Short mmCIF file of all heavy atoms in Angstrom, two decimals:
data_model
loop_
_atom_site.label_atom_id
_atom_site.label_comp_id
_atom_site.label_asym_id
_atom_site.label_seq_id
_atom_site.Cartn_x
_atom_site.Cartn_y
_atom_site.Cartn_z
N PHE A 229 111.76 59.13 82.67
CA PHE A 229 110.75 60.13 83.04
C PHE A 229 109.38 59.73 82.50
O PHE A 229 108.37 59.88 83.19
CB PHE A 229 111.14 61.51 82.51
CG PHE A 229 110.13 62.58 82.81
CD1 PHE A 229 110.04 63.13 84.09
CD2 PHE A 229 109.24 63.02 81.84
CE1 PHE A 229 109.09 64.10 84.38
CE2 PHE A 229 108.29 63.98 82.12
CZ PHE A 229 108.22 64.53 83.40
N ALA A 230 109.35 59.22 81.28
CA ALA A 230 108.08 58.77 80.71
C ALA A 230 107.52 57.60 81.51
O ALA A 230 106.30 57.50 81.72
CB ALA A 230 108.27 58.38 79.25
N ALA A 231 108.39 56.70 81.99
CA ALA A 231 107.93 55.58 82.80
C ALA A 231 107.35 56.06 84.13
O ALA A 231 106.29 55.57 84.57
CB ALA A 231 109.09 54.62 83.05
N TRP A 232 108.03 57.02 84.74
CA TRP A 232 107.50 57.57 86.00
C TRP A 232 106.17 58.29 85.78
O TRP A 232 105.24 58.15 86.57
CB TRP A 232 108.51 58.55 86.60
CG TRP A 232 107.96 59.30 87.77
CD1 TRP A 232 107.89 58.88 89.07
CD2 TRP A 232 107.33 60.59 87.73
NE1 TRP A 232 107.28 59.83 89.85
CE2 TRP A 232 106.92 60.90 89.06
CE3 TRP A 232 107.10 61.52 86.72
CZ2 TRP A 232 106.28 62.09 89.38
CZ3 TRP A 232 106.46 62.71 87.04
CH2 TRP A 232 106.06 62.99 88.36
N LEU A 233 106.09 59.05 84.70
CA LEU A 233 104.87 59.79 84.42
C LEU A 233 103.70 58.84 84.17
O LEU A 233 102.56 59.11 84.58
CB LEU A 233 105.09 60.70 83.21
CG LEU A 233 103.97 61.68 82.86
CD1 LEU A 233 103.72 62.63 84.02
CD2 LEU A 233 104.31 62.46 81.60
N ALA A 234 103.96 57.72 83.51
CA ALA A 234 102.90 56.74 83.26
C ALA A 234 102.39 56.17 84.58
O ALA A 234 101.17 56.01 84.77
CB ALA A 234 103.41 55.63 82.36
N LYS A 235 103.28 55.88 85.50
CA LYS A 235 102.85 55.37 86.81
C LYS A 235 102.09 56.44 87.59
O LYS A 235 101.16 56.13 88.33
CB LYS A 235 104.07 54.90 87.61
CG LYS A 235 104.76 53.67 87.03
CD LYS A 235 105.82 53.13 87.95
CE LYS A 235 105.20 52.54 89.20
NZ LYS A 235 106.21 51.88 90.06
N ALA A 236 102.51 57.70 87.42
CA ALA A 236 101.87 58.78 88.16
C ALA A 236 100.41 58.98 87.76
O ALA A 236 99.60 59.43 88.58
CB ALA A 236 102.65 60.07 87.97
N ILE A 237 100.06 58.64 86.53
CA ILE A 237 98.68 58.82 86.08
C ILE A 237 97.86 57.54 86.19
O ILE A 237 96.75 57.46 85.67
CB ILE A 237 98.63 59.35 84.64
CG1 ILE A 237 99.21 58.33 83.66
CG2 ILE A 237 99.35 60.67 84.52
CD1 ILE A 237 99.06 58.73 82.20
N GLY A 238 98.44 56.52 86.83
CA GLY A 238 97.68 55.30 87.07
C GLY A 238 97.92 54.19 86.08
O GLY A 238 97.21 53.18 86.10
N LEU A 239 98.94 54.31 85.21
CA LEU A 239 99.29 53.25 84.28
C LEU A 239 100.53 52.52 84.79
O LEU A 239 100.99 52.74 85.91
CB LEU A 239 99.52 53.84 82.89
CG LEU A 239 98.33 54.58 82.28
CD1 LEU A 239 98.74 55.28 81.00
CD2 LEU A 239 97.18 53.62 82.01
N GLU A 240 101.11 51.67 83.96
CA GLU A 240 102.33 50.95 84.33
C GLU A 240 103.54 51.61 83.69
O GLU A 240 103.46 52.13 82.57
CB GLU A 240 102.25 49.49 83.88
CG GLU A 240 101.64 48.57 84.93
CD GLU A 240 102.49 48.49 86.19
OE1 GLU A 240 103.71 48.28 86.10
OE2 GLU A 240 101.91 48.63 87.27
N GLY A 241 104.68 51.56 84.39
CA GLY A 241 105.90 52.16 83.87
C GLY A 241 106.36 51.53 82.58
O GLY A 241 106.97 52.19 81.74
N VAL A 242 106.09 50.23 82.40
CA VAL A 242 106.52 49.56 81.17
C VAL A 242 105.85 50.18 79.95
O VAL A 242 106.45 50.26 78.87
CB VAL A 242 106.22 48.05 81.24
CG1 VAL A 242 107.10 47.37 82.28
CG2 VAL A 242 104.75 47.79 81.54
N LEU A 243 104.61 50.62 80.12
CA LEU A 243 103.90 51.25 79.00
C LEU A 243 104.54 52.59 78.66
O LEU A 243 104.71 52.94 77.48
CB LEU A 243 102.43 51.44 79.35
CG LEU A 243 101.53 51.99 78.24
CD1 LEU A 243 101.49 51.02 77.07
CD2 LEU A 243 100.12 52.23 78.76
N GLY A 244 104.93 53.36 79.68
CA GLY A 244 105.58 54.63 79.43
C GLY A 244 106.93 54.47 78.77
O GLY A 244 107.28 55.21 77.84
#
Side-chain angles (χ1 to χ4, degrees):
F229 178 77
W232 171 83
L233 187 61
K235 293 188 69 174
I237 64 174
L239 300 172
E240 270 296 311
V242 292
L243 185 63

